[in-house]
Amino acid sequence: MAGGRKKTVSFSSIPSEKKVSSSSDCLAFMQGGCELKKVRPNSRVYCRFYTLDPDLSCLRWEPSKKDVDHARLDVASVREVRTGKSTETFLHNGPLSDHLAEEAAFSIIHGEDYQSLDLVALSADVANIWVTGLRFLIAHPSVIGGAGPGGVAEGGLVAEGSRMRSEWLAEEFTLVDVDGNGIVTEDVAVATICKLCPGIKEAKVRLRFKEIQCAKEKLTSHVTREEFHEAFCELCTRPDVYFLLVQLSKDRECLDVQDLRLFLESEQGLSLATAEGCLQLLRRYEPSARGRERGLLGLDGFARYLQSAECHLMDPEHLSVCQDMSMPLSHYYISASYRSYLLDDQVHGRADLGGLTKALQVGCRCLELGVTDGPEGEPILGVDYGPDAPRHHHHHHHHHHQHHQHTLVTARSALEVVNKYAFVTSEFPLLLYLCQRCSPPQQRVLAQHLKKVLGARLYRPEAPPVGPGARAPGLPSPEQLKGRILLVGKKLPPEEQGSEGEVSEEDEEIGGGGPLAGRRMTIPGEEELGVVLVVPPPPQPRRLRLRRELSDLVGVARTSSRGFYARRAELKRAQGQSPPTSPSSPGAPPPSEPPYWTMCSLGEGEAGRLTEEAPEDLVVFTKRTLSRVRPSSVRLDSSNPNPQGYWRGGVQLVALNQQTPGAMLDLHRGRFAQNGSCGYVLRPAVMTEEVSYFSAHTQGCVPGVPPQTLRIKVVSAHNLPKPQGAGSKGEVIDPYVVLELHGVPADCGEQRTRTAAQNQDDPLFDETFEFQ
């Protein structure tokens, strides 16, 4: 007998099991019995099979040395049921207790002297069933010694919440039961359940009705009111929500205004919850007329509320701009896109305007435009590698070859798209990052287009201050530049007075040179093809003729890493130290800070090296100057670097391929979601204060910043999709949740839940994690 009965059943791990959706389901499960671990104060753990008597009067367990009458506990003597590891037995059994799951532990306090029976179930759901059932029995002593769950229902002892649900479902059934015969077709029943329970899969509902039909050996597929009720309760009850409701509602299985308010304040952290607000919320989500009239929120209304946007993990305050927008631009991280005007990949991608539109719609505030000479005097979008990039001859040729197949995109049409969508998502300033390789005549055309298309939106810098030691004024704030477009590009030096002059173009956009020069590198994603790229040596700076008309429209001058080394040398000299010479200009006297705003553009490799070797200097530099990191040109597949490493070094703009989905783009979206996705997010105070000592490599605590603990509880998941590519066999997925924390090295961490077995639709995890 004992051997035959030792079948352990957990609701979540067997998809075909009946779902628990009421206290009588819990009692029925307990009468069937299951295995629980019994924990003794002497640190011993015993596995026992526990059952509830058919008349609900006592709990029994086997095997036991005691005779049958002693291996029992009278339900009438139970004082309370506690969840979690809350009793002395658990608390004093340190090492033993640690590997027992908090969520699956519960204790039954019983008898005159409040003894505790300490138990651990196989899973959180099984523990919830025992706790719910026992608490129901304590709250309704009249049922004890009755005739089991059937008797419970017939004895008029139906929880108020169940009654509300039954009435509501009966009303909904009557609405579709046109003839009033108490039966509807299967199609109607399926459609009604899908309407009442959005998100449920139609096939699953249909399958359930077929199962009911088979079980009852019915010849017709018509559905009765009782069958409709049964199918709805099984399919549309989330066990996690049910157990939570029972705990909050003291077994009434519905919440009144007071219960709801307590829940909002203690669990959801909404301190401003008012009784009036709770009543409105309750009326908005409760589907049953009875519940709305009486001010009660039942299981279905509570589930609707928990799944609504109001319970989103994201603080609603952050859905709109909520940070101070009046600081200088350099104090913000700025959302930047990389070459979003190219389709396909970065080298032979053909120009296309859809990418620009998308980047602006998702809130990017720095767009790159590559412009080269086009036919008939009209500058066009594209990447031109110039004559001294021999390694790209093959690509270069390919590029022109493609030009004949595709219509060219003029710079003017690109500017018109930018002008149209610039402020659709965000009203804060847009930086247009211009990489132009046009001949002087086409530069003049480009300047005319910029003025004509962008008009008053284009920010025209004032004449730079002149005279020795002249410095640019501080950068303006996003607030001051609302609705304006700033051009970032090459600018003529202040001493140049003519209508055109020479500027050096470090070929930075091709990403040649830097610490990787001469190294052989495989192209990400193409290792098995054996494609090897030899990173070229740093090219000689190209001299580029630049027209005054274009130079004067540039609000922020684009510089290479030389700007950083020069500024660092100046600071070190001011502090009286001799600096390490910069790799680009050994021994040359560094120029002083230019009298206009600048943006320092770094390749991924070089920026990575600086965040490793000179993190403090980089943070100091970015307090006043904008800096940008672009993906390495070795990434021909448009993959993205991890932006976090550069952000923590103070870099404001990490240009990402907005068309390449993945973890890196998710991090980028997460970063900018915290300020209404407006494309600007304040950097941490340690990076903006005049005097602060912050290093991106802090392994321990940051001085003056007390460590905080983040606690996250993963409760459950709902309506998980099947993984892509899963065929018809893939009926079952084994989901788990991974939590990752990204920040300075000391804060980074990753934890994962156990895998929920085979319960594809509503896996319960009920696990708590801490990050320090």
Side-chain angles (χ1 to χ4, degrees):
M1 157 87 186
R5 268 184 44 198
K6 269 210 157 140
K7 178 163 133 258
T8 54
V9 173
S10 138
F11 279 121
S12 68
S13 55
I14 300 180
S16 60
E17 261 314 315
K18 283 185 65 160
K19 282 263 177 70
V20 173
S21 64
S22 67
S23 34
S24 51
D25 289 350
C26 293
L27 298 176
F29 175 90
M30 291 156 68
Q31 287 170 325
C34 77
E35 197 162 273
L36 300 171
K37 292 189 179 113
K38 177 178 177 179
V39 184
R40 298 291 300 275
N42 63 5
S43 302
R44 300 283 296 277
V45 177
Y46 303 89
C47 281
R48 297 283 181 265
F49 195 86
Y50 283 79
T51 47
L52 175 65
D53 267 14
D55 67 354
L56 313 180
S57 63
C58 66
L59 287 186
R60 302 184 186 272
W61 56 92
E62 55 186 52
S64 168
K65 295 199 184 69
K66 304 176 180 164
D67 59 52
V68 180
D69 280 348
H70 285 93
R72 55 176 275 176
L73 173 66
D74 286 324
V75 174
S77 72
V78 176
R79 304 280 181 152
E80 65 166 317
V81 184
R82 291 189 197 166
T83 53
K85 298 190 277 196
S86 58
T87 60
E88 298 286 307
T89 307
F90 284 121
L91 298 173
H92 288 159
N93 274 340
L96 164 89
S97 182
D98 288 346
H99 72 263
L100 298 170
E102 168 81 25
E103 293 79 16
F106 64 102
S107 300
I108 301 172
I109 312 297
H110 61 96
E112 294 294 317
D113 39 6
Y114 289 82
Q115 291 165 289
S116 74
L117 171 59
D118 300 290
L119 302 165
V120 181
L122 282 171
S123 67
D125 354 346
V126 174
N128 278 326
I129 291 173
W130 283 93
V131 170
T132 303
L134 288 165
R135 284 182 176 166
F136 177 85
L137 293 175
I138 298 169
H140 303 106
S142 59
V143 236
I144 297 172
V152 175
E154 286 147 26
L157 217 146
V158 178
E160 176 66 29
S162 292
R163 188 174 298 139
M164 276 160 51
R165 187 181 214 182
S166 302
E167 283 186 14
W168 167 60
L169 289 173
E171 281 163 23
E172 292 289 344
F173 186 86
T174 309
L175 289 176
V176 292
D177 175 13
V178 194
D179 306 332
N181 297 335
I183 52 172
V184 295
T185 64
E186 186 183 293
D187 288 349
V188 168
V190 170
T192 309
I193 287 187
C194 290
K195 184 191 89 177
L196 299 180
C197 186
I200 194 160
K201 300 182 185 73
E202 188 187 321
K204 189 176 165 185
V205 183
R206 201 168 285 284
L207 179 70
R208 188 69 204 110
F209 282 124
K210 294 263 185 283
E211 285 171 354
I212 292 174
Q213 205 182 314
C214 289
K216 298 190 175 172
E217 296 179 355
K218 287 167 53 175
L219 300 174
T220 134
S221 66
H222 283 92
V223 175
T224 65
R225 198 169 85 181
E226 292 70 33
E227 289 162 352
F228 174 78
H229 184 282
E230 177 189 341
F232 180 89
C233 292
E234 275 187 36
L235 294 168
C236 306
T237 304
R238 291 184 54 180
D240 48 335
V241 178
Y242 171 69
F243 291 130
L244 178 62
L245 183 79
V246 170
Q247 283 170 27
L248 299 171
S249 68
K250 320 176 213 26
D251 309 295
R252 288 204 317 279
E253 296 188 20
C254 57
L255 305 177
D256 60 25
V257 168
Q258 219 32 55
D259 296 328
L260 185 58
R261 187 174 173 180
L262 195 66
F263 169 71
L264 294 180
E265 285 175 355
S266 60
E267 285 281 334
Q268 304 297 79
L270 298 176
S271 49
L272 301 172
T274 62
E276 186 48 45
C278 288
L279 193 59
Q280 283 176 354
L281 193 140
L282 188 148
R283 292 196 169 131
R284 195 155 67 243
Y285 290 101
E286 175 52 45
S288 74
R290 180 186 176 114
R292 289 196 299 271
E293 280 158 23
R294 299 174 156 213
L296 296 173
L297 187 63
L299 182 54
D300 300 287
F302 189 44
R304 284 179 182 191
Y305 167 64
L306 290 177
Q307 281 158 256
S308 72
E310 293 187 46
C311 288
H312 214 277
L313 202 55
M314 181 89 180
D315 184 338
E317 189 189 322
H318 290 273
L319 295 173
S320 47
V321 176
C322 57
Q323 296 182 342
D324 177 2
M325 300 306 282
S326 60
M327 311 280 265
L329 281 180
S330 56
H331 285 13
Y332 298 84
Y333 292 120
I334 303 173
S335 170
S337 87
Y338 183 63
R339 297 201 174 163
S340 41
Y341 57 90
L342 290 185
L343 274 177
D344 309 328
D345 65 44
Q346 293 177 10
V347 179
H348 351 87
R350 53 183 200 273
D352 168 77
L353 295 174
L356 293 176
T357 315
K358 278 201 199 80
L360 289 167
Q361 284 169 333
V362 297
C364 284
R365 293 289 84 194
C366 178
L367 272 195
E368 185 183 348
L369 284 185
V371 183
T372 61
D373 276 1
E376 291 148 37
E378 268 298 321
I380 56 166
L381 279 198
V383 187
D384 166 30
Y385 294 102
D388 53 345
R391 69 184 174 124
H392 279 301
H393 262 180
H394 156 67
H395 296 149
H396 193 133
H397 164 77
H398 191 94
H399 187 61
H400 283 296
H401 167 66
Q402 296 233 335
H403 275 325
H404 300 305
Q405 297 169 357
H406 307 294
T407 44
L408 301 179
V409 178
T410 62
R412 176 169 183 133
S413 58
L415 291 173
E416 281 166 349
V417 163
V418 167
N419 190 48
K420 181 176 175 185
Y421 292 98
F423 302 105
V424 169
T425 304
S426 169
E427 55 187 354
F428 294 106
L430 175 68
L431 306 173
L432 261 193
Y433 191 91
L434 185 65
C435 305
Q436 63 87 20
R437 300 281 167 79
C438 297
S439 56
Q442 293 211 9
Q443 289 179 30
R444 289 176 62 179
V445 176
L446 184 58
Q448 284 161 6
H449 288 334
L450 282 159
K451 283 191 231 172
K452 202 162 176 180
V453 176
L454 304 177
R457 286 177 165 182
L458 185 63
Y459 179 86
R460 313 277 182 96
E462 290 118 39
V466 286
R471 289 182 70 177
L475 281 161
S477 70
E479 186 60 48
Q480 287 167 306
L481 292 175
K482 255 187 194 168
R484 303 300 291 276
I485 296 176
L486 271 78
L487 199 57
V488 182
K490 284 292 172 189
K491 207 164 170 62
L492 290 171
E495 58 276 9
E496 176 65 65
Q497 299 298 312
S499 64
E500 71 178 59
E502 285 214 326
V503 288
S504 75
E505 173 61 281
E506 279 94 350
D507 251 7
E508 46 159 88
E509 289 319 306
I510 299 168
L516 302 174
R519 279 219 214 136
R520 295 167 70 76
M521 296 188 71
T522 49
I523 300 169
E526 298 188 14
E527 293 84 353
E528 69 284 358
L529 300 177
V531 180
V532 173
L533 211 93
V534 177
V535 180
Q540 288 310 304
R542 283 169 68 188
R543 308 299 295 169
L544 202 71
R545 302 294 298 165
L546 179 63
R547 288 292 302 176
R548 156 97 33 218
E549 297 95 315
L550 192 54
S551 171
D552 284 352
L553 297 179
V554 170
V556 181
R558 166 161 90 66
T559 66
S560 70
S561 55
R562 292 170 202 212
F564 166 75
Y565 293 116
R567 184 90 187 90
R568 180 166 77 163
E570 236 173 88
L571 286 168
K572 296 274 197 265
R573 254 208 317 286
Q575 296 164 3
Q577 307 168 351
S578 69
T581 54
S582 89
S584 52
S585 53
S592 63
E593 198 177 336
Y596 35 70
W597 302 325
T598 57
M599 180 188 291
C600 173
S601 180
L602 301 165
E604 186 187 330
E606 183 160 31
R609 203 181 75 230
L610 292 177
T611 56
E612 293 287 333
E613 293 170 13
E616 293 86 350
D617 296 342
L618 194 56
V619 168
V620 169
F621 175 72
T622 58
K623 282 181 187 176
R624 281 181 55 86
T625 311
L626 291 170
S627 57
R628 167 182 180 268
V629 169
R630 58 179 186 278
S632 152
S633 63
V634 177
R635 295 176 181 272
L636 296 188
D637 58 348
S638 301
S639 56
N640 279 320
N642 184 343
Q644 181 59 38
Y646 305 112
W647 284 331
R648 65 179 188 228
V651 173
Q652 294 93 340
L653 298 109
V654 181
L656 296 186
N657 293 294
Q658 296 289 329
Q659 65 277 28
T660 310
M664 300 312 151
L665 201 56
D666 292 345
L667 272 180
H668 179 271
R669 292 205 180 119
R671 161 75 70 198
F672 290 101
Q674 62 184 294
N675 194 24
S677 295
C678 74
Y680 287 84
V681 166
L682 263 178
R683 299 190 306 165
V686 283
M687 292 185 185
T688 51
E689 292 155 0
E690 269 311 310
V691 181
S692 70
Y693 302 97
F694 171 74
S695 160
H697 286 275
T698 311
Q699 292 291 349
C701 298
V702 177
V705 183
Q708 296 187 324
T709 300
L710 172 68
R711 252 187 220 97
I712 296 181
K713 182 173 186 181
V714 180
V715 181
S716 61
H718 184 54
N719 280 348
L720 291 180
K722 269 198 232 163
Q724 278 180 329
S728 54
K729 288 208 307 294
E731 275 307 305
V732 167
I733 54 173
D734 297 332
Y736 58 91
V737 181
V738 178
L739 304 170
E740 289 179 25
L741 192 63
H742 296 261
V744 296
D747 287 340
C748 289
E750 178 177 312
Q751 300 192 46
R752 55 161 283 184
T753 63
R754 62 189 169 75
T755 300
Q758 297 183 6
N759 177 12
Q760 128 183 16
D761 296 309
D762 305 315
L764 266 176
F765 297 103
D766 242 340
E767 290 181 63
T768 304
F769 299 91
E770 279 194 7
F771 293 94
Q772 171 78 31

